[in-house]
Amino acid sequence: MLKLTRKVEYSLIALRHMQNAGHEAVCSARVIAERYGIPYDLLAKILQLLARESIITAVQGPKGGYRINARLGDISLIDFFELIEGPVGISDCNLDEDCDRDSICNIRKPITRINNNIRSVFSNITLDDVTL
Amino acid sequence: MLKLTRKVEYSLIALRHMQNAGHEAVCSARVIAERYGIPYDLLAKILQLLARESIITAVQGPKGGYRINARLGDISLIDFFELIEGPVGISDCNLDEDCDRDSICNIRKPITRINNNIRSVFSNITLDDVTL
DNA sequence: AATAAATACGATATATTTAGTCGTAGTTAG
DNA sequence: CTAACTACGACTAAATATATCGTATTTATT
């Protein structure tokens, strides 16, 4: 319960690695995967996603790889999470899906309130706070 | 990602229902299940768990059911979650399991920090805040 | 005493989500 | 032209969460 996914964890690990390597350095998926014991195929797919979202830039061909593109200090964790995983909420009723129990639910309000608290925590942390 | 389990949600719904019913009232699992569209078998098991943990008291026999026992204002959400689901953390490395990547992980510290933030949110909310 | 309405609880089954793998194609430095 | 990369969809496997079932016990009511 309340856990981040591996996709998010691996993303953060990779971003921090790239940041440590310097903004010009090009890091390949293979190197990062081996360095941190992450399944290569999975990491590759994740980095492709981050590239599509312009957080990193892909460099193709041999000696290729990725380097950081976005300013990580400008991206909040909640935005990052939702970029990778889609809408985030502690309960389905916080994810614009409409709930069957909607009309009779007796904890909707407090759950929404708590959800906002959690989102606020992640809104006030940027990627730099994790990767720097 | 970051979602509560149904077990937790159903618990909160049931507790709020019981609180609304008054502290002396005895509420049966069947009635609560039907009222909120919760699978009876599942709710029954959850209420048994809450009873074992002395949060509610079971009354056996016909006309039996449960009533609130603990002072809900004294129980933080984080304690409640861990009572029901066991250790809670946003990542495995926050759950005393030892992680293979431990020695090479580059995001352990920030993840721990964030985990503490989240726990702090749930520590500062009591069951009364949800059920009252 | 019999019955019916409850709780008690472990075992099992189902569904959903997450994680990981595979195959194939495109790109480019050397 | 080949080897080392990225790109991406389809697929499989594993983990987790959710739900169901079977059986036993308790007790108010009749």
Side-chain angles (χ1 to χ4, degrees):
Chain A
M1 195 182 73
L2 292 172
K3 278 212 299 221
L4 303 179
T5 60
R6 293 252 196 278
K7 250 154 102 179
V8 165
E9 284 185 19
Y10 295 160
S11 297
L12 294 173
I13 289 173
L15 284 177
R16 178 156 206 182
H17 178 89
M18 289 187 230
Q19 200 152 63
N20 287 344
H23 271 229
E24 305 78 23
V26 171
C27 307
S28 77
R30 172 105 30 212
V31 165
I32 298 177
E34 277 168 9
R35 176 81 173 69
Y36 300 97
I38 298 171
Y40 165 74
D41 283 319
L42 187 50
L43 182 63
K45 211 161 54 168
I46 292 168
L47 294 179
Q48 285 157 28
L49 167 60
L50 295 184
R52 272 199 300 279
E53 300 289 351
S54 305
I55 292 183
I56 58 182
T57 302
V59 177
Q60 291 213 332
K63 301 276 176 186
Y66 302 90
R67 75 171 153 257
I68 289 181
N69 179 44
R71 290 169 51 187
L72 301 191
D74 292 347
I75 303 174
S76 73
L77 275 195
I78 193 73
D79 289 344
F80 186 66
F81 291 169
E82 302 207 316
L83 211 93
I84 295 177
E85 298 289 346
V88 167
I90 61 168
S91 173
D92 284 342
C93 62
N94 304 123
L95 311 169
D96 52 9
E97 304 167 28
D98 29 43
C99 171
D100 293 348
R101 273 186 282 279
D102 193 17
S103 54
I104 39 171
C105 181
N106 62 359
I107 57 166
R108 197 173 220 280
K109 269 190 207 155
I111 289 289
T112 300
R113 210 169 56 229
I114 294 166
N115 191 54
N116 290 340
N117 288 348
I118 298 296
R119 290 184 68 92
S120 151
V121 169
F122 290 123
S123 298
N124 290 317
I125 303 175
T126 71
L127 283 176
D128 261 351
D129 294 323
V130 182
T131 59
L132 220 52
Chain B
M1 195 181 73
L2 292 171
K3 278 210 300 222
L4 303 179
T5 60
R6 293 254 195 279
K7 250 154 102 179
V8 165
E9 285 186 17
Y10 295 161
S11 297
L12 293 173
I13 289 173
L15 283 177
R16 178 157 204 182
H17 178 89
M18 289 188 230
Q19 199 151 63
N20 287 344
H23 271 228
E24 305 76 25
V26 170
C27 306
S28 78
R30 177 134 277 135
V31 165
I32 298 176
E34 276 167 10
R35 177 81 173 70
Y36 299 96
I38 299 171
Y40 165 75
D41 283 319
L42 187 51
L43 181 64
K45 211 161 54 167
I46 292 169
L47 294 179
Q48 285 158 28
L49 168 60
L50 296 184
R52 271 199 299 279
E53 299 289 351
S54 304
I55 292 184
I56 58 182
T57 302
V59 177
Q60 290 213 332
K63 301 277 174 184
Y66 302 90
R67 75 170 154 257
I68 288 181
N69 180 45
R71 290 169 52 187
L72 301 190
D74 292 348
I75 303 173
S76 73
L77 275 195
I78 194 73
D79 289 344
F80 186 66
F81 291 169
E82 301 206 316
L83 210 93
I84 295 177
E85 298 290 345
V88 167
I90 62 169
S91 172
D92 284 342
C93 61
N94 304 122
L95 311 169
D96 52 7
E97 305 166 27
D98 30 42
C99 171
D100 293 349
R101 273 185 283 278
D102 193 17
S103 54
I104 40 172
C105 182
N106 62 357
I107 57 165
R108 196 174 221 279
K109 267 190 209 156
I111 289 289
T112 301
R113 210 168 56 229
I114 294 166
N115 191 53
N116 289 340
N117 288 348
I118 297 297
R119 291 185 67 92
S120 151
V121 169
F122 290 123
S123 296
N124 290 318
I125 303 174
T126 72
L127 284 176
D128 261 351
D129 294 323
V130 182
T131 59
L132 219 52

